Amino acid sequence: MGSKAALGRAALRHAASERGASYAAVALLSAALTLLLTSSTPQSTGSHGVASSVRMQHRRLGGGGDAADWMCKHQYAVTTWDRKRVPACDPALCTATPAPLKAPAKGSSAASRRWTPRDDDAYAAASPSVVGWLNDHQVRYVRVMTALQHQLGVFGAAGEIGVHHGKFFAVVAGNAAAAEPLVAIDLFEAQSENYDLSGSGSTANILYPEKLMSLMDATGIPRADVRLVSGNSLTLTASNFTSLGLPAWRMLSVDGGHSLETTLHDVNVAACTVRDGGIVIVDDWFNQEWTGVQEATYHATHALARLVPFMHGHNKIWMTTPSHASAYLDAARREFGCVDVHESRSSIGGSALCLLPE
Ligand SMILES: C[S@@+](CC[C@H](N)C(=O)[O-])C[C@H]1O[C@@H](n2cnc3c(N)ncnc32)[C@H](O)[C@@H]1O
């Protein structure tokens, strides 16, 4: 797990580099965030049986009755294979709920999509050479769902935990409205903290922030519009977002560490920082090499009941708040043509789910 000092050093290394003034500015922002980070590092749990026996321990915690205890009431304590533990009950994770962004006037430049059709083409041309994990279907899903959110007046922050070289982040950012803050969260150079080696296929190809920013340049997104947050997502809490003056998420992709521990933490933070009608997309959710992602998603949807899945396919699951789940499910059926299976065969936690076609 990363120490605050290590995070600060990583951010300062960015600032000390000669990558240009705007890049130094975002690095300083990262350093500022580092100082704000509150510690919620998972603790060692002592002995829970022999290391060779993989034992998961789940138990519901009691918790009090007031709003500040919302997270504690619903949180599972999860002991993972290496006996690290997701913070069992950390009210600080969820108390400072970011405010929703007010919808800009319809037709104003603030409400308009960042990418022009020319930028879409530039992304399509650049994308094959960008290291990352994405297919063309996802590009369309983001465009259609973002447009629907904006039509419904749902605006907010857009970004990703685990951006790597920005292959998916660029799509989320390019479809966002001009008024919406863009946030890119990653360990970046601090790969020694990437303990489950998520996305490690290209650690030799480091300088992630510079790769990400080159893609922004190529697709017409000003570097200054992107808030780089350099650090370990396990240290993120909702109050980090409010301290940075960020609104609640309109769209957040969760694609950082893929262990049960990290995914559960990230999805929990997402659940309490997403606005009504916001969308949380979890990557690798059906990837048999990353079973922790699926387990974490079930915990978050069942235990927290704040996020309802409405569609899945092409390795990602899409979730929203209960207020908008049926509208988004209808849109998915209409726009994407779900695979025709009976609802009883395609649901999670009792909510029908669109299985996106191949
Ligand atoms: C699978 S890659 C992300 C791929 C990316 N979304 C794309 O579109 O190509 C995973 C990323 O998560 C980052 N990561 C892993 N663990 C993390 C953690 N605990 N906190 C923040 N980022 C993390 C890695 O540095 C890596 O860049």
Side-chain angles (χ1 to χ4, degrees):
M1 300 308 118
S3 70
K4 291 180 195 176
L7 289 166
R9 277 196 302 278
L12 288 170
R13 269 201 308 276
H14 294 325
S17 72
E18 295 174 1
R19 293 172 197 152
S22 61
Y23 185 51
V26 289
L28 283 173
L29 180 71
S30 301
L33 174 79
T34 299
L35 294 175
L36 289 167
L37 291 174
T38 55
S39 175
S40 58
T41 308
Q43 307 137 7
S44 167
T45 55
S47 174
H48 283 284
V50 289
S52 59
S53 83
V54 178
R55 289 211 278 157
M56 305 285 183
Q57 297 196 343
H58 304 156
R59 69 187 164 86
R60 262 188 201 282
L61 296 172
D66 62 354
D69 261 353
W70 178 79
M71 198 65 177
C72 305
K73 266 197 308 190
H74 295 95
Q75 177 97 4
Y76 281 89
V78 178
T79 305
T80 61
W81 65 276
D82 58 355
R83 289 184 268 150
K84 292 202 176 84
R85 180 176 263 215
V86 174
C89 179
D90 180 2
L93 200 66
C94 250
T95 44
T97 313
L101 186 70
K102 198 166 164 274
K106 277 205 168 122
S108 66
S109 57
S112 54
R113 184 177 181 259
R114 274 191 163 84
W115 273 355
T116 63
R118 237 175 85 197
D119 296 323
D120 285 309
D121 292 345
Y123 176 81
S127 174
S129 56
V130 177
V131 176
W133 294 263
L134 188 65
N135 67 27
D136 292 344
H137 295 282
Q138 304 290 359
V139 178
R140 180 163 160 251
Y141 301 151
V142 172
R143 182 166 44 75
V144 171
M145 294 313 297
T146 301
L148 174 64
Q149 288 180 300
H150 289 163
Q151 208 181 318
L152 296 173
V154 176
F155 286 78
E160 183 166 48
I161 301 177
V163 293
H164 208 64
H165 296 178
K167 196 161 188 155
F168 191 55
F169 173 78
V171 179
V172 172
N175 282 285
E180 295 181 308
L182 308 176
V183 189
I185 304 167
D186 203 289
L187 286 166
F188 295 115
E189 283 98 334
Q191 288 299 309
S192 57
E193 294 178 39
N194 188 352
Y195 79 92
D196 60 27
L197 301 183
S198 158
S200 72
S202 59
T203 41
N205 204 356
I206 215 92
L207 294 182
Y208 295 359
E210 191 46 41
K211 298 266 181 201
L212 173 84
M213 288 306 184
S214 306
L215 186 56
M216 298 298 107
D217 295 343
T219 58
I221 297 173
R223 290 182 174 217
D225 285 7
V226 180
R227 286 191 166 193
L228 284 189
V229 176
S230 170
N232 193 324
S233 67
L234 282 169
T235 62
L236 275 179
T237 69
S239 59
N240 296 138
F241 298 104
T242 51
S243 305
L244 285 172
L246 290 168
W249 295 106
R250 196 257 309 146
M251 186 173 280
L252 172 67
S253 162
V254 174
D255 193 12
H258 282 34
S259 63
L260 167 62
E261 176 191 31
T262 311
T263 313
L264 184 55
H265 176 91
D266 293 353
V267 176
N268 283 348
V269 171
C272 58
T273 51
V274 69
R275 58 157 296 156
D276 275 351
I279 290 177
V280 176
I281 308 164
V282 179
D283 188 63
D284 276 321
W285 116 273
F286 229 94
N287 184 336
Q288 62 194 15
E289 292 177 25
W290 295 108
T291 54
V293 176
Q294 193 168 107
E295 187 175 358
T297 307
Y298 287 136
H299 278 301
T301 53
H302 287 165
L304 298 178
R306 167 80 174 140
L307 293 174
V308 179
F310 63 92
M311 66 182 202
H312 73 138
H314 303 279
N315 213 24
K316 294 191 195 284
I317 186 162
W318 294 60
M319 303 185 281
T320 186
T321 57
S323 55
H324 288 65
S326 65
Y328 291 176
L329 176 62
D330 288 349
R333 286 178 171 150
R334 200 174 51 239
E335 300 287 339
F336 309 134
C338 318
V339 175
D340 187 18
V341 291
H342 190 268
E343 277 190 16
S344 63
R345 289 168 50 188
S346 186
S347 72
I348 293 182
S351 305
L353 197 63
C354 167
L355 171 57
L356 296 159
E358 280 303 310

